[in-house]
Amino acid sequence: MTGIPLLIFFVLAVVVMILAISKWHVHPFLSIMGVSLILALVAGIDLTKIADVIGAGFSGTFTSIGIVIILGALVGVLLEKTGAALKMADCVVKLVGKKNPELAMLIMGWIVSIPVFCDSGFVILNPIRKSLVQKTGKSSVACTVCLSMGLYISHCFIPPTPGPIAAANTLFGGIGAEVNLLLVMGIGVACSILPMIAGYFFAAFIGKKVKAKDEACNSEAIKQSYEELVASYGKLPNGFAAFAPIVVPIILMGLASALSMAGNNVPFFVFLGKPIIALAVGVLLGIALLAEAGKMGDFYNITNDTLKTVGPILFVTAAGGVLGKVISSSALITFITDNAGALKAMGLIFPFLLAAILKSAQGSSTVAITTTAGILAPLMQSLGFASPTYACLVTVAIGAGAMVVSHANDSYFWVVTNFGEMETQDGYKTQTLGTLVIGLAAIINVLIVSIFA
């Protein structure tokens, strides 16, 4: 099958994949793998080569990105378990002041979710949110929304969160280049500005319309709860040590990149600047925090739990790589290349819409990001996204789409609604509408940045 019939079948295959995940509750890994196999058969790929194509797509993803995802997740868990995430939050509160709890929650959420999953980040920071609400008398809902939006933006935009790492690696592979993780981080930060502003003002607006159950909670009880949480970690690390597992890897990658642009490729700094090595340094710094806290006995279980958490993400990411490999091995690429005018005209809106459809349909931002990247990777050259900068912009455009929208099929929706002490209908007014607002603001930000790319 070739031409328009193959394109129609591909669209139907994506629809079936979405239905399988969202309506029939088939695991994303099996859904994507099944659709990939069927697509390979219908596309007329040589029967003797289909298994090799699937194997190449699967192993290629693991080879290039598996270790980076594991190390990035491990850094996040170490920050969580040692109390470093709480310390970072405290530093943000001191920076913006207790009289601006909404801004404090927005910024600390954005920082903490760079290495820590947004679900975990919300649970970790929620006692601080409650304490600030009681101390300042500000809206509980406004603070909840600010915390949720801050966490969500960096979760979808900035490595070492697994979704953006996996997407960047897949898309850079589509243009035949080595992933520039620092460039992805930089553009992710730049594209966070408008959604952060939009999230802040939306929170201020909706906080006047919706009230949470904890608006009138006992102040002493909340304060005690927060103090008990801090005490459970023992002595919190100092600010420099808390930020080091995130900041040092960024510095190492930045230094290597700067030296490379200057034409001075010092082998030692090239080695340290590789994402795998830089993140390994971050892990070592996290282990140092664990040792300082006297919790080295927990390290085995921490690593084991991290691998259990990351495992499904790795497999779904690899399945997305299989789908991308099948697409690139079919006649679909030739057809789209010959008729790419309409899709090219959509520009970065196309990856945004594709990710938004997948996100809204099946709930997981990470699945939406990795699956969309797998679909787009073979099309990058045809769509005119052939440069490293555009690979980064497509990564962030996908992340913007993966924000739209968080509702009942998303576990994060229930974390925010339940820990934010809101009714389900209030969750739709706050979390669902809020993620629509920041998602739209995010793609506008991406389009503005693309003008200067």
Side-chain angles (χ1 to χ4, degrees):
M1 186 184 292
T2 58
I4 293 179
L6 180 58
L7 181 62
I8 293 173
F9 184 86
F10 169 69
V11 173
L12 291 174
V14 172
V15 171
V16 170
M17 179 181 69
I18 292 171
L19 288 173
I21 296 171
S22 60
K23 188 174 181 62
W24 304 325
H25 305 296
V26 179
H27 193 280
F29 173 76
L30 294 177
S31 301
I32 299 170
M33 291 293 288
V35 165
S36 299
L37 177 59
I38 294 170
L39 186 62
L41 291 168
V42 172
I45 296 175
D46 191 331
L47 285 175
T48 62
K49 295 181 179 178
I50 288 178
D52 294 333
V53 169
I54 290 174
F58 193 86
S59 63
T61 303
F62 262 106
T63 300
S64 57
I65 203 62
I67 298 174
V68 172
I69 290 178
I70 291 169
L71 292 177
L74 188 54
V75 168
V77 176
L78 288 168
L79 290 175
E80 176 186 343
K81 298 298 183 182
T82 58
L86 275 179
K87 183 62 180 181
M88 288 191 289
D90 281 343
C91 290
V92 172
V93 172
K94 290 178 181 176
L95 179 66
V96 302
K98 293 180 180 178
K99 292 184 179 180
N100 301 292
E102 301 95 341
L103 183 59
M105 299 314 300
L106 183 74
I107 295 173
M108 74 172 69
W110 184 83
I111 293 172
V112 167
S113 198
I114 292 174
V116 177
F117 281 93
C118 57
D119 305 64
S120 300
F122 195 94
V123 175
I124 293 167
L125 299 177
N126 193 51
I128 300 175
R129 178 194 68 82
K130 286 191 170 187
S131 180
L132 284 177
V133 167
Q134 292 301 326
K135 290 176 181 177
T136 62
K138 294 296 182 72
S139 165
S140 173
V141 169
C143 289
T144 293
V145 173
C146 275
L147 175 58
S148 172
M149 299 301 108
L151 288 161
Y152 209 40
I153 291 165
S154 55
H155 175 80
C156 293
F157 271 3
I158 305 172
T161 305
I165 288 182
N169 181 78
T170 302
L171 295 171
F172 270 81
I175 64 172
E178 182 180 353
V179 63
N180 187 336
L181 209 54
L182 189 67
L183 185 59
V184 178
M185 289 178 177
I187 289 181
V189 171
C191 292
S192 296
I193 296 171
L194 276 186
M196 292 276 279
I197 294 171
Y200 178 81
F201 283 106
F202 172 77
F205 167 78
I206 204 67
K208 298 174 182 177
K209 306 291 184 181
V210 178
K211 298 297 178 184
K213 300 172 191 173
D214 66 348
E215 295 282 1
C217 280
N218 182 274
S219 178
E220 286 302 315
I222 295 299
K223 182 178 179 182
Q224 183 180 6
S225 173
Y226 174 64
E227 289 175 350
E228 287 175 354
L229 177 66
V230 173
S232 70
Y233 288 101
K235 183 181 178 181
L236 293 181
N238 63 57
F240 175 80
F243 279 96
I246 301 175
V247 174
V248 171
I250 293 174
I251 291 173
L252 291 175
M253 287 186 284
L255 181 60
S257 179
L259 289 172
S260 176
M261 287 188 289
N264 189 9
N265 290 316
V266 181
F268 179 69
F269 289 112
V270 171
F271 167 74
L272 288 176
K274 294 290 184 181
I276 289 177
I277 304 303
L279 285 170
V281 172
V283 169
L284 291 175
L285 292 170
I287 293 172
L289 290 174
L290 198 66
E292 185 181 349
K295 297 182 179 180
M296 283 302 295
D298 298 334
F299 184 53
Y300 178 88
N301 288 332
I302 287 173
T303 305
N304 198 43
D305 290 344
T306 302
L307 292 174
K308 288 178 182 178
T309 301
V310 171
I313 296 170
L314 285 173
F315 285 118
V316 171
T317 301
V322 171
L323 180 58
K325 190 69 174 177
V326 168
I327 293 171
S328 66
S329 302
S330 71
L332 192 60
I333 298 302
T334 303
F335 176 77
I336 291 175
T337 301
D338 294 339
N339 302 273
L343 293 180
K344 273 187 176 180
M346 292 180 70
L348 293 166
I349 298 295
F350 177 57
F352 169 78
L353 290 176
L354 184 56
I357 292 168
L358 285 166
K359 162 63 183 178
S360 298
Q362 54 76 43
S364 169
S365 294
T366 302
V367 170
I369 290 170
T370 55
T371 304
T372 304
I375 293 171
L376 288 177
L379 311 177
M380 291 291 283
Q381 303 281 354
S382 304
L383 296 174
F385 301 138
S387 72
T389 301
Y390 261 92
C392 292
L393 288 168
V394 173
T395 299
V396 182
I398 291 171
M403 296 178 195
V404 182
V405 290
S406 173
H407 60 95
N409 64 358
D410 180 7
S411 62
Y412 188 50
F413 172 86
W414 297 109
V415 169
V416 173
T417 301
N418 291 330
F419 281 87
E421 301 283 347
M422 292 185 288
E423 300 289 350
T424 302
Q425 62 267 27
D426 293 330
Y428 287 113
K429 296 175 185 175
T430 57
Q431 177 69 3
T432 303
L433 187 55
T435 52
L436 174 62
V437 169
I438 63 170
L440 294 175
I443 189 59
I444 292 171
N445 203 153
V446 173
L447 294 173
I448 292 172
V449 171
S450 71
I451 295 173
F452 304 96

